Amino acid sequence: MQKSMLYPRETNCRRVVSLDGMWKFQLDFSSSGRTQGWECGLPNPDLIPVPASFQDFYTEKDIREFTGDVWYETEFFLPGEWEGKEAALRFGCATHRAEVYINGKKAAVHEGGFTPFLVPLNDLAVFSSFNRVVVIVNNELSNTSLPCGETKLLSNGKKISKPYFDFFNYSGLQRSVKLILLPKEAITDFSVDYRLQGEDAFVTYHTITNGVHPVMVKVYDEAGVLVAEANGNDGVLTIPKVRLWEVRNAYLYRFVLKILDQDKILDEYYEDIGVRTIEIKGTKFLINGKPVYLKGFGKHEDSDIIGRGFSAGVMKRDFECMKWIHANSFRTSHYPYSEEIYQMADREGFLIIDEVAAVGMFESLMNFMEASTGKHTAFFQKETTPELLQNHKEAIRELIERDKNHASVIAWSLLNEPETTDESAVAYFKEIFQYAKELDPQKRPCTFALIMNSLPNTCKCYQFSDFICLNRYYGWYLKGGYEISEAEENLRKELDEWKAKNLNIPFIFSEYGADTNPAEHKLPSVMWSQEYQIEFLTMCNNVFDCYDFIQGEQVWNFADFQTTEGIMRMNGNKKGIFTRQRQPKDAAYYLRERWASLEDDKKVKLE
Ligand code: GCB
């Protein structure tokens, strides 16, 4: 069976059965599962829901903090009528790596915790029968994992995760698992690109199949009317009088692909796709040739009890909150999100900066603090760097292959806050950026988020970015509280230095934010109070409005989220504009007013 990232859908020729629900579950505290044959059945399992992170269900700290192999098991029935076709299991993700056993036999391995993978079943599973799947999910961090970190052994023999990043190392089967049926001759990949001319759109498409028969493509509008068709695996579809996908005003066409052998349908697949163009011209982002100013957030997949597990309910609430506050965009900080979130963004007309899990490439357990102290970790000089580079490229390949058809995805973020002050980063960046450019059929802009010490005169890698994403905390980690006037001066000084470089590309603030305890009110303000969060945002926004190359503001963070415990975090990062339960802090009302007054396509105050 050929690899394929296509989202599972039921059609004439395909079937999808959800395996979500309660799975058997066992932590391997003594690392003995492999020698004791757990792949043939867990000896002493508990039950746990899939999809979900496993950490926050239990009352024992040893479970929440568990680092190592966690084992999952379930049974599935493989229908007899599927015989002669291709059956597979599809994992939405397994964080951070997985080994899958079918009826005791090793069937697949996958590295990387945020992208889907298929496990072919035909050779190992039995049709018309129940079959056992056992999955070993490992959540250890290292210098070669994405995200990066370390795994340490405490003197009591227990392992602990030490992330070089600021979010809890949630793991497990965090997205849906599906049993899927594909035809023998199948479409394995499909991509599109667009050109607009007058009122019409020319959609270049490209399909990959594993057979000899050609693909036929039909495009239907939202009313179900056929608007374009073409024959052949590659071609150009003409959509006359196209209705474009616009920011917060989405329109999706249904692309139906079929492999035909005379009258017989060998395979059928569909995707709902918005037609839009994205380009950068000078300091502007242009969607369908019109400028857009990004308003929104860096987010996390993070909520009470299920951790990073996908929940349609949480997703729905997040989109409703983002609509209420007049946001138009978000960054999938710091890893590819669940596929359903991109589908929803397509539907709702949100813009996504899609980030790969390349976070923590600055060796520090508190990089948010240490980046501004001049700390130097020579991260890309390690002997493990070649292996990291390989994993990073594979993660980018999977990300782009998975997400390339989403109208909502307007850019790829290839790293978050890497160390860029050392010459050794340059070769690494060059390879990563070149690779992403080659892979994307739409040649979307590529970028990375700059850490506090990646400054106009110290950053050796910004030249690779098509637009610059600044993560800046003037007024929080630097010059907070009553010193905020100096924070403002420093922020302006940095922006003046960027301006002097005359790069003639857009800049956005991909992070700026202040931790805020929703229970804290103080007049006059102090850091951590609701009042200070508004003061901080107001200061930053006033500065942004003075620089016309600033073409977007994404506040850190949409909602409070869980991190590793420590003296810098009060049971998590509290920079949310919403609480972890998705209720507004005071600053949400401030932002709502500001963003309502900023049109999607211009910076009102400049004009
Ligand atoms: C950053 C990181 C983000 C942190 C944030 C913070 O620069 O990119 O992951 O959570 O700062 O709040 O310190």
Side-chain angles (χ1 to χ4, degrees):
M1 174 186 270
Q2 235 151 337
K3 285 190 172 178
S4 174
M5 280 283 170
L6 295 180
Y7 189 76
R9 296 182 197 286
E10 295 219 303
T11 67
N12 266 313
C13 312
R14 295 174 174 234
R15 292 289 171 270
V16 183
V17 177
S18 172
L19 297 189
D20 292 352
M22 299 305 281
W23 285 47
K24 290 182 183 169
F25 176 74
Q26 193 164 347
L27 299 171
D28 195 354
F29 282 107
S30 53
S31 299
S32 55
R34 289 164 197 272
T35 48
Q36 290 178 5
W38 289 13
E39 67 275 11
C40 296
L42 301 180
N44 191 17
D46 191 24
L47 288 177
I48 200 170
V50 170
S53 309
F54 69 83
Q55 281 90 350
D56 287 352
F57 294 117
Y58 293 95
T59 52
E60 292 90 350
K61 194 153 178 172
D62 279 346
I63 302 186
R64 192 187 68 206
E65 303 297 324
F66 181 83
T67 301
D69 288 341
V70 299
W71 292 64
Y72 288 83
E73 177 186 339
T74 199
E75 256 188 350
F76 60 91
F77 187 80
L78 193 57
E81 59 273 26
W82 288 14
E83 225 171 328
K85 297 182 178 168
E86 296 282 354
L89 294 182
R90 189 198 197 254
F91 290 81
C93 77
T95 317
H96 296 290
R97 57 194 62 78
E99 261 174 55
V100 183
Y101 291 83
I102 303 295
N103 297 329
K105 298 254 165 38
K106 193 163 176 171
V109 291
H110 185 257
E111 174 68 30
F114 303 96
T115 38
F117 59 96
L118 289 181
V119 181
L121 291 176
N122 285 40
D123 294 343
L124 298 172
V126 185
F127 286 91
S128 299
S129 171
F130 282 98
N131 293 272
R132 174 186 289 128
V133 52
V134 172
V135 190
I136 312 174
V137 182
N138 176 277
N139 66 356
E140 290 176 30
L141 301 170
S142 72
N143 278 329
T144 60
S145 63
L146 274 79
C148 298
E150 41 191 279
T151 302
K152 287 206 160 145
L153 203 57
L154 300 175
S155 52
N156 63 8
K158 291 174 184 168
K159 283 187 200 162
I160 181 172
S161 295
K162 292 281 192 184
Y164 299 156
F165 50 88
D166 184 38
F167 48 92
F168 194 81
N169 188 32
Y170 281 121
S171 41
L173 296 180
Q174 306 185 121
R175 297 180 189 157
S176 289
V177 184
K178 290 168 178 162
L179 170 64
I180 63 171
L181 173 74
L182 301 171
K184 279 273 179 218
E185 193 167 336
I187 297 153
T188 57
D189 192 33
F190 171 58
S191 54
V192 288
D193 191 17
Y194 325 99
R195 193 166 54 78
L196 306 179
Q197 201 179 317
E199 292 190 311
D200 307 333
F202 297 91
V203 182
T204 311
Y205 72 90
H206 178 60
T207 54
I208 300 178
T209 71
N210 61 358
V212 292
H213 295 93
V215 175
M216 188 189 81
V217 186
K218 288 192 175 179
V219 183
Y220 299 88
D221 68 13
E222 285 187 1
V225 176
L226 179 70
V227 294
E229 60 186 312
N231 284 311
N233 289 17
D234 304 293
V236 181
L237 292 147
T238 307
I239 305 182
K241 289 201 167 65
V242 68
R243 171 110 177 247
L244 294 173
W245 184 96
E246 304 276 8
V247 185
R248 298 290 299 106
N249 182 16
Y251 191 87
L252 300 178
Y253 288 94
R254 176 157 294 191
F255 285 64
V256 179
L257 318 176
K258 284 182 186 165
I259 304 181
L260 292 177
D261 182 6
Q262 316 262 328
D263 285 348
K264 196 163 169 241
I265 306 173
L266 301 182
D267 189 17
E268 183 180 28
Y269 187 73
Y270 69 90
E271 267 187 51
D272 293 337
I273 297 181
V275 176
R276 58 97 188 90
T277 60
I278 157 76
E279 86 188 280
I280 284 178
K281 219 178 204 164
T283 59
K284 305 270 189 213
F285 296 103
L286 302 181
I287 305 283
N288 304 327
K290 291 179 294 194
V292 62
Y293 183 80
L294 305 186
K295 304 178 287 188
F297 301 99
K299 288 184 92 265
H300 266 297
E301 284 184 293
D302 173 281
S303 62
D304 284 332
I305 302 178
I306 55 171
R308 211 167 306 301
F310 174 72
S311 147
V314 173
M315 170 178 77
K316 175 70 181 163
R317 175 70 183 179
D318 283 7
F319 274 92
E320 288 306 308
C321 289
M322 288 195 290
K323 280 157 42 180
W324 172 82
I325 206 167
H326 300 287
N328 63 11
S329 63
F330 59 94
R331 178 170 60 122
T332 67
S333 41
H334 294 305
Y335 37 82
Y337 290 179
S338 302
E339 291 154 292
E340 294 77 7
I341 294 176
Y342 300 78
Q343 291 164 8
M344 185 85 161
D346 284 347
R347 202 5 90 220
E348 296 281 8
F350 275 83
L351 305 172
I352 295 179
I353 298 174
D354 202 1
E355 189 157 278
V356 72
V359 53
M361 295 187 180
F362 175 83
E363 187 176 331
S364 161
L365 301 178
M366 282 205 288
N367 34 23
F368 44 88
M369 284 292 288
E370 291 181 322
S372 38
T373 63
K375 181 173 171 160
H376 182 247
T377 72
F379 194 86
F380 295 106
Q381 282 181 35
K382 295 180 193 299
E383 53 181 29
T384 46
T385 300
E387 192 184 334
L388 175 70
L389 180 65
Q390 261 336 97
N391 289 344
H392 195 164
K393 284 171 76 174
E394 182 60 9
I396 290 174
R397 192 188 62 71
E398 291 185 354
L399 171 78
I400 295 182
E401 207 173 308
R402 191 192 72 158
D403 293 345
K404 63 191 170 188
N405 289 343
H406 290 291
S408 53
V409 173
I410 56 158
W412 309 109
S413 169
L414 304 180
L415 311 97
N416 181 68
E417 300 200 334
E419 184 169 57
T420 65
T421 52
D422 192 283
E423 203 58 49
S424 60
V426 177
Y428 189 96
F429 270 64
K430 191 166 179 220
E431 194 154 343
I432 288 293
F433 274 75
Q434 233 169 31
Y435 189 61
K437 289 268 170 197
E438 279 164 23
L439 289 174
D440 181 11
Q442 296 186 12
K443 305 288 174 233
R444 291 170 180 85
C446 292
T447 190
F448 71 100
L450 274 69
I451 196 167
M452 281 293 279
N453 71 354
S454 295
L455 292 163
N457 60 344
T458 59
C459 177
K460 301 202 187 316
C461 298
Y462 66 81
Q463 68 279 9
F464 294 109
S465 290
D466 296 311
F467 65 100
I468 292 191
C469 288
L470 299 175
N471 290 1
R472 291 296 179 263
Y473 290 92
Y474 296 105
W476 187 253
Y477 296 122
L478 288 178
K479 309 281 180 196
Y482 192 45
E483 290 182 276
I484 196 169
S485 55
E486 299 200 353
E488 178 172 345
E489 272 174 39
N490 291 351
L491 174 57
R492 286 184 190 273
K493 182 167 166 284
E494 184 184 338
L495 290 177
D496 288 339
E497 283 168 19
W498 284 117
K499 189 175 174 186
K501 286 195 172 279
N502 268 322
L503 297 180
N504 196 30
I505 56 174
F507 278 59
I508 71 161
F509 277 79
S510 40
E511 287 185 24
Y512 65 112
D515 283 274
T516 305
N517 178 358
E520 209 63 73
H521 274 289
K522 191 93 171 175
L523 182 67
S525 73
V526 288
M527 292 172 79
W528 292 87
S529 69
Q530 299 236 32
E531 286 74 7
Y532 188 73
Q533 191 176 31
I534 295 177
E535 240 169 83
F536 170 94
L537 294 171
T538 309
M539 181 279 281
C540 293
N541 291 336
N542 286 343
V543 174
F544 302 168
D545 290 343
C546 299
Y547 295 84
D548 59 5
F549 60 89
I550 308 286
Q551 286 297 321
E553 54 195 58
Q554 294 189 329
V555 178
W556 192 257
N557 186 285
F558 169 72
D560 293 347
F561 59 93
Q562 194 64 56
T563 63
T564 310
E565 59 191 329
I567 52 168
M568 293 298 298
R569 296 287 177 254
M570 195 184 65
N571 183 20
N573 187 309
K574 303 292 178 195
K575 294 193 185 68
I577 295 301
F578 294 87
T579 63
R580 201 182 192 207
Q581 295 70 37
R582 276 56 175 183
Q583 297 303 332
K585 297 184 190 172
D586 287 0
Y589 297 92
Y590 155 75
L591 272 181
R592 182 169 193 254
E593 205 180 309
R594 170 175 166 81
W595 287 349
S597 75
L598 285 180
E599 302 274 330
D600 279 334
D601 62 347
K602 60 182 188 284
K603 291 177 76 169
V604 168
K605 289 188 180 152
L606 286 177
E607 292 168 17

